Amino acid sequence: MQSEWQHMPLIDVFLSRPNWVPDHVEKQFASFYPLLEEQGFRPRTIGKDVVPIATPFQHVVNLMNKCQCTIVLGLPQIRVESGTMKSEKIEKSFSLPTEWNQIEAAISIMLNKPTLMMLHKGVAARGLFDRGAANVFVHEFHTLGPKWVKDIEPKLAALRELVHA
Protein backbone atom coordinates (compact mmCIF):
# COMPACT_ATOMS: atom_id res chain seq x y z
CA MET A 1 0.00 0.00 0.00
CA GLN A 2 1.42 3.36 -1.04
CA SER A 3 1.30 6.37 1.22
CA GLU A 4 -0.59 9.47 0.19
CA TRP A 5 2.66 11.42 -0.22
CA GLN A 6 3.96 8.89 -2.78
CA HIS A 7 1.43 10.26 -5.27
CA MET A 8 2.68 13.83 -4.87
CA PRO A 9 5.41 15.41 -7.01
CA LEU A 10 8.95 15.04 -5.71
CA ILE A 11 10.07 17.68 -3.22
CA ASP A 12 13.13 19.60 -4.38
CA VAL A 13 15.55 19.52 -1.44
CA PHE A 14 18.74 21.55 -1.27
CA LEU A 15 21.34 19.04 -0.10
CA SER A 16 24.26 20.74 1.62
CA ARG A 17 27.15 18.31 1.50
CA PRO A 18 30.78 18.53 0.50
CA ASN A 19 31.53 17.59 -3.09
CA TRP A 20 34.56 15.62 -1.88
CA VAL A 21 34.09 12.88 0.67
CA PRO A 22 36.21 9.79 1.38
CA ASP A 23 35.46 6.78 -0.84
CA HIS A 24 33.74 4.84 1.96
CA VAL A 25 31.30 7.75 2.46
CA GLU A 26 30.68 8.14 -1.28
CA LYS A 27 29.75 4.43 -1.35
CA GLN A 28 27.15 5.10 1.36
CA PHE A 29 25.67 7.87 -0.77
CA ALA A 30 24.87 5.16 -3.35
CA SER A 31 22.15 4.04 -0.88
CA PHE A 32 21.31 7.50 0.45
CA TYR A 33 20.29 9.09 -2.86
CA PRO A 34 17.80 6.33 -3.81
CA LEU A 35 16.34 6.56 -0.29
CA LEU A 36 15.76 10.28 -0.78
CA GLU A 37 13.81 9.59 -3.96
CA GLU A 38 11.85 6.73 -2.34
CA GLN A 39 10.92 9.15 0.44
CA GLY A 40 9.68 11.76 -2.04
CA PHE A 41 12.72 14.05 -2.38
CA ARG A 42 14.78 15.17 -5.37
CA PRO A 43 18.22 16.27 -4.06
CA ARG A 44 19.81 19.36 -5.58
CA THR A 45 23.51 19.86 -4.84
CA ILE A 46 25.73 22.50 -6.41
CA GLY A 47 28.73 20.84 -7.99
CA LYS A 48 27.06 17.41 -8.06
CA ASP A 49 23.85 17.59 -10.09
CA VAL A 50 23.66 21.38 -10.50
CA VAL A 51 26.34 23.23 -12.46
CA PRO A 52 27.09 26.63 -10.92
CA ILE A 53 26.61 29.59 -13.25
CA ALA A 54 26.80 32.48 -10.77
CA THR A 55 29.03 33.31 -7.84
CA PRO A 56 28.84 30.47 -5.31
CA PHE A 57 26.87 32.47 -2.74
CA GLN A 58 24.34 33.80 -5.26
CA HIS A 59 23.94 30.40 -6.84
CA VAL A 60 23.18 28.87 -3.43
CA VAL A 61 20.52 31.52 -2.79
CA ASN A 62 18.98 31.07 -6.26
CA LEU A 63 18.86 27.28 -6.00
CA MET A 64 17.61 27.30 -2.42
CA ASN A 65 14.78 29.65 -3.41
CA LYS A 66 13.65 26.97 -5.89
CA CYS A 67 13.78 24.20 -3.27
CA GLN A 68 11.10 23.52 -0.67
CA CYS A 69 13.50 22.41 2.09
CA THR A 70 17.14 21.77 3.01
CA ILE A 71 19.19 18.89 4.36
CA VAL A 72 22.59 19.80 5.80
CA LEU A 73 25.07 16.93 6.17
CA GLY A 74 27.93 18.12 8.36
CA LEU A 75 30.64 15.65 7.35
CA PRO A 76 34.27 15.87 8.49
CA GLN A 77 36.22 18.09 6.09
CA ILE A 78 38.78 20.00 8.15
CA ARG A 79 41.07 18.35 10.69
CA VAL A 80 42.48 20.60 13.43
CA GLU A 81 45.45 19.00 15.13
CA SER A 82 47.16 21.91 16.84
CA GLY A 83 46.83 25.59 17.50
CA THR A 84 44.85 27.72 19.87
CA MET A 85 41.16 28.37 20.31
CA LYS A 86 40.05 31.37 22.37
CA SER A 87 43.64 31.70 23.61
CA GLU A 88 43.62 28.10 24.88
CA LYS A 89 46.04 25.56 23.39
CA ILE A 90 44.25 22.78 21.50
CA GLU A 91 44.98 19.61 23.45
CA LYS A 92 42.97 17.10 21.39
CA SER A 93 42.51 17.14 17.60
CA PHE A 94 39.02 17.50 16.15
CA SER A 95 37.17 17.73 12.83
CA LEU A 96 34.99 20.48 11.41
CA PRO A 97 32.45 20.41 8.57
CA THR A 98 32.95 22.56 5.49
CA GLU A 99 32.28 26.27 5.97
CA TRP A 100 29.68 25.96 3.19
CA ASN A 101 27.54 23.80 5.49
CA GLN A 102 27.40 26.77 7.86
CA ILE A 103 26.65 29.26 5.08
CA GLU A 104 23.98 27.08 3.47
CA ALA A 105 22.33 26.28 6.81
CA ALA A 106 22.19 29.99 7.65
CA ILE A 107 20.64 30.85 4.27
CA SER A 108 18.06 28.07 4.63
CA ILE A 109 17.08 29.19 8.12
CA MET A 110 16.87 32.84 7.03
CA LEU A 111 14.64 31.83 4.08
CA ASN A 112 12.39 29.95 6.57
CA LYS A 113 12.94 26.64 4.77
CA PRO A 114 12.28 23.46 6.73
CA THR A 115 15.86 22.44 7.54
CA LEU A 116 17.17 19.04 8.60
CA MET A 117 20.58 19.45 10.26
CA MET A 118 22.72 16.30 10.56
CA LEU A 119 26.17 16.32 12.16
CA HIS A 120 28.55 13.41 11.67
CA LYS A 121 29.69 11.71 14.86
CA GLY A 122 33.03 13.09 15.97
CA VAL A 123 32.65 16.44 14.16
CA ALA A 124 32.79 19.44 16.49
CA ALA A 125 29.37 21.02 17.04
CA ARG A 126 30.32 24.63 16.34
CA GLY A 127 28.41 27.46 14.70
CA LEU A 128 24.92 26.46 13.57
CA PHE A 129 25.66 22.83 14.47
CA ASP A 130 25.94 23.89 18.11
CA ARG A 131 22.70 22.72 19.71
CA GLY A 132 20.57 25.74 20.53
CA ALA A 133 22.43 28.11 18.20
CA ALA A 134 19.48 28.15 15.78
CA ASN A 135 15.87 27.06 15.92
CA VAL A 136 16.64 23.61 14.46
CA PHE A 137 17.43 20.29 16.08
CA VAL A 138 20.83 18.83 15.19
CA HIS A 139 20.77 15.06 14.62
CA GLU A 140 23.92 12.96 14.93
CA PHE A 141 24.78 10.32 12.32
CA HIS A 142 27.72 8.11 11.45
CA THR A 143 28.59 6.91 7.95
CA LEU A 144 30.39 3.80 9.14
CA GLY A 145 28.25 1.13 7.49
CA PRO A 146 24.80 1.40 5.89
CA LYS A 147 22.81 1.74 9.13
CA TRP A 148 22.80 5.57 9.01
CA VAL A 149 20.87 5.52 5.73
CA LYS A 150 18.07 3.47 7.32
CA ASP A 151 18.20 5.59 10.50
CA ILE A 152 17.51 8.78 8.54
CA GLU A 153 14.08 7.58 7.30
CA PRO A 154 12.04 8.97 10.24
CA LYS A 155 13.89 12.28 9.94
CA LEU A 156 12.99 12.45 6.24
CA ALA A 157 9.35 11.69 7.09
CA ALA A 158 9.36 14.57 9.60
CA LEU A 159 10.93 16.90 7.00
CA ARG A 160 8.35 15.85 4.39
CA GLU A 161 5.54 16.59 6.87
CA LEU A 162 6.95 20.07 7.50
CA VAL A 163 7.05 20.77 3.77
CA HIS A 164 3.43 19.64 3.33
CA ALA A 165 2.16 21.40 6.48
Side-chain angles (χ1 to χ4, degrees), residues 15 28-36 71 73 148-149 152 156:
L15 180 59
Q28 297 299 324
F29 280 134
S31 300
F32 177 65
Y33 280 94
L35 174 67
L36 286 175
I71 297 172
L73 297 178
W148 77 275
V149 175
I152 197 173
L156 294 174

Side-chain angles (χ1 to χ4, degrees), residues 49-61:
D49 62 288
V50 177
V51 177
I53 56 171
T55 62
F57 186 86
Q58 190 59 54
H59 200 70
V60 167
V61 172

Side-chain angles (χ1 to χ4, degrees), residues 38-58:
E38 288 168 18
Q39 294 295 314
F41 296 95
R42 177 181 23 239
R44 312 290 287 147
T45 303
I46 294 173
K48 281 292 181 192
D49 62 288
V50 177
V51 177
I53 56 171
T55 62
F57 186 86
Q58 190 59 54

Side-chain angles (χ1 to χ4, degrees), residues 24-142:
H24 76 278
V25 175
E26 197 64 58
K27 287 178 185 162
Q28 297 299 324
F29 280 134
S31 300
F32 177 65
Y33 280 94
L35 174 67
L36 286 175
E37 191 167 322
E38 288 168 18
Q39 294 295 314
F41 296 95
R42 177 181 23 239
R44 312 290 287 147
T45 303
I46 294 173
K48 281 292 181 192
D49 62 288
V50 177
V51 177
I53 56 171
T55 62
F57 186 86
Q58 190 59 54
H59 200 70
V60 167
V61 172
N62 293 346
L63 181 57
M64 206 172 282
N65 273 320
K66 294 176 185 173
C67 292
Q68 291 112 309
C69 59
T70 303
I71 297 172
V72 181
L73 297 178
L75 291 158
Q77 284 290 289
I78 302 163
R79 184 91 186 139
V80 179
E81 304 214 357
S82 66
T84 58
M85 186 180 322
K86 298 181 181 178
S87 76
E88 297 292 320
K89 186 175 191 268
I90 294 171
E91 299 292 333
K92 185 178 177 199
S93 63
F94 60 93
S95 293
L96 295 168
T98 172
E99 58 275 10
W100 282 98
N101 281 150
Q102 301 281 353
I103 293 166
E104 292 162 351
I107 293 169
S108 181
I109 292 165
M110 293 304 296
L111 291 174
N112 292 315
K113 301 284 181 182
T115 304
L116 174 59
M117 299 275 295
M118 308 249 334
L119 184 62
H120 195 277
K121 184 179 174 98
V123 175
R126 299 186 53 81
L128 290 173
F129 287 105
D130 196 5
R131 286 179 176 86
N135 195 22
V136 294
F137 186 83
V138 179
H139 299 271
E140 184 179 80
F141 73 108
H142 197 306

